[in-house]
Amino acid sequence: MGVILVLVGIAIALLIEFFKSNELQEWMERCLFGALEEGERYQDFEEEMEQFEKAMRALGLKVDADEADGVSAPALLPQAG
């Protein structure tokens, strides 16, 4: 009986995680190349970048490379040299 309850709990947790929306997914849908209609997209570049930074912070990634501590955002491509 206990095993069944554990399996049901795991299944519920997985369903919640699967259907939960996140900030990056929302940003991708509303950006310039997103799937939403023109009126539902970001109206200007500044708003789009502000929401992108918010989505990256929600993921735990640092976006602003100009801060005084010298730590920059992770590079997506390897740097030559």
Side-chain angles (χ1 to χ4, degrees):
M1 182 67 172
V3 173
I4 293 173
L5 290 176
V6 169
L7 292 175
V8 168
I10 291 172
I12 290 172
L14 288 173
L15 287 173
I16 290 172
E17 187 65 31
F18 180 74
F19 288 109
K20 179 176 69 170
S21 178
N22 65 38
E23 287 84 2
L24 185 58
Q25 179 181 357
E26 292 175 19
W27 179 83
M28 291 179 74
E29 290 175 353
R30 293 187 65 198
C31 74
L32 178 63
F33 301 105
L36 296 179
E37 297 295 322
E38 187 67 33
E40 298 171 333
R41 293 187 183 157
Y42 296 115
Q43 298 303 312
D44 57 17
F45 182 73
E46 288 79 21
E47 180 185 5
E48 185 174 340
M49 288 296 99
E50 179 181 308
Q51 293 301 318
F52 176 73
E53 290 178 10
K54 183 178 175 183
M56 291 295 106
R57 280 192 300 272
L59 293 175
L61 298 176
K62 185 174 179 182
V63 177
D64 190 86
D66 296 330
E67 291 189 13
D69 61 3
V71 177
S72 62
L76 297 178
L77 298 174
Q79 300 294 320

